[in-house]
Amino acid sequence: MLKSIESLSDDSRVFIYPGSRKFYPQELPVIREKLEEFCQSLEGVELAFEIKYDRFLVFVVADRTPLDLDQQNILVDFVQGLENEFSIVLLDKVNVCFKQGEYVQLKEVKDFKKLIKNKGVSKNTIVFDLLINTKDEYEQFFEVPAQDSWVSHFF
């Protein structure tokens, strides 16, 4: 059942899928419609979605109606379908997503380390934590300075 993110508790589970590129403007209405249909199709589950920065797919699942293993597999299959349909990678969470000015960038870890070495990013660069688990963490710690994130040990 599709809900608003605001209506879900802070303990609700979050699943974040970073796009290898921004969604194109013409893709966004189609993707939103597919996300709405998907969320409506999961019976017995209260969930919400957000497309953040036209780049991240964020699903928030109510803590009172968690996804079982089969439903988690259905979610991953759905995301894989989006990958195929829109020629985008969404399931690779090993890369570093960060802001450069107003733009969201995605780099492999080795390339991010090169940016550090060449002073292309700093400890104050905003990075995105793709491994957060709850809505509360999403709201407070999704975007943090690199020095406060999992990449801090690269500096």
Side-chain angles (χ1 to χ4, degrees), residues 13-150:
R13 179 83 162 93
V14 173
F15 298 87
I16 301 172
Y17 299 96
S20 55
R21 62 166 172 79
K22 253 180 110 166
F23 293 112
Y24 300 125
Q26 66 272 20
E27 293 173 333
L28 286 167
V30 177
I31 292 169
R32 277 192 186 90
E33 183 178 327
K34 289 180 178 294
L35 289 166
E36 287 174 13
E37 289 172 4
F38 174 77
C39 290
Q40 293 288 12
S41 73
L42 279 180
E43 293 186 23
V45 177
E46 295 178 2
L47 72 159
F49 73 86
E50 179 176 44
I51 302 173
K52 188 87 166 177
Y53 298 113
D54 296 339
R55 184 132 198 179
F56 301 95
L57 293 184
V58 180
F59 292 91
V60 182
V61 181
D63 60 329
R64 62 185 168 273
T65 60
L67 296 178
D68 63 27
L69 187 57
D70 288 338
Q71 291 165 325
Q72 287 183 34
N73 289 337
I74 290 168
L75 174 59
V76 171
D77 289 345
F78 171 74
V79 173
Q80 284 177 323
L82 292 176
E83 283 185 320
N84 293 332
E85 184 173 348
F86 296 98
S87 299
I88 187 170
V89 176
L90 294 162
L91 292 169
D92 186 353
K93 294 186 179 190
V94 179
N95 297 316
V96 181
C97 296
F98 61 99
K99 283 185 177 177
Q100 275 192 319
E102 63 186 72
Y103 300 102
V104 174
Q105 303 290 325
L106 181 136
K107 297 284 185 194
E108 291 184 14
V109 171
K110 65 180 170 76
D111 294 328
F112 189 76
K113 287 179 179 179
K114 287 179 189 173
L115 283 173
I116 292 170
K117 183 178 178 185
N118 297 328
K119 308 261 189 260
V121 295
S122 73
K123 291 179 179 183
N124 294 320
T125 298
I126 299 298
V127 298
F128 297 91
D129 186 349
L130 305 175
L131 302 176
I132 57 176
N133 292 305
T134 67
K135 177 185 162 193
D136 183 57
E137 290 174 353
Y138 173 64
E139 290 173 343
Q140 295 192 44
F141 305 113
F142 181 52
E143 301 177 43
V144 295
Q147 65 189 357
D148 298 332
S149 76
W150 68 275

